[in-house]
Amino acid sequence: MKNRNLTGIVVAIIYSIVLLEILIEAPPGEISHHPPWAFLMIPLGAIAIELLFDFVIKYDFFKKKK
């Protein structure tokens, strides 16, 4: 495993948890009504966030360079 950007991984995990909570939220006694592709946004968004932090931003808040 190469040196992964820990900030990207943490932000992607937070994004996944928040988006899942938004997608499964529904009034009591009802099911959530979302198109089937809406749940694909969780892994696609997480991959996009990790790539953004690995190749574009390249700054890691958790690993400080000495």
Side-chain angles (χ1 to χ4, degrees):
M1 184 172 142
K2 67 174 190 155
N3 293 333
R4 299 294 307 261
N5 193 328
L6 288 179
T7 305
I9 294 171
V10 170
V11 171
I13 290 171
I14 293 170
Y15 165 82
S16 299
I17 292 170
V18 169
L19 188 59
L20 182 66
E21 289 295 322
I22 290 171
L23 288 176
I24 63 172
E25 183 179 347
E30 295 183 17
I31 60 170
S32 60
H33 298 285
H34 295 288
W37 57 265
F39 290 97
L40 283 175
M41 299 308 294
I42 296 172
L44 293 177
I47 291 170
I49 289 171
E50 287 185 24
L51 290 176
L52 182 73
F53 274 92
D54 281 342
F55 298 112
V56 178
I57 297 175
K58 296 182 182 177
Y59 182 76
D60 197 350
F61 292 103
F62 296 110
K63 289 184 184 176
K64 299 291 183 184
K65 293 183 180 178
K66 294 181 179 179

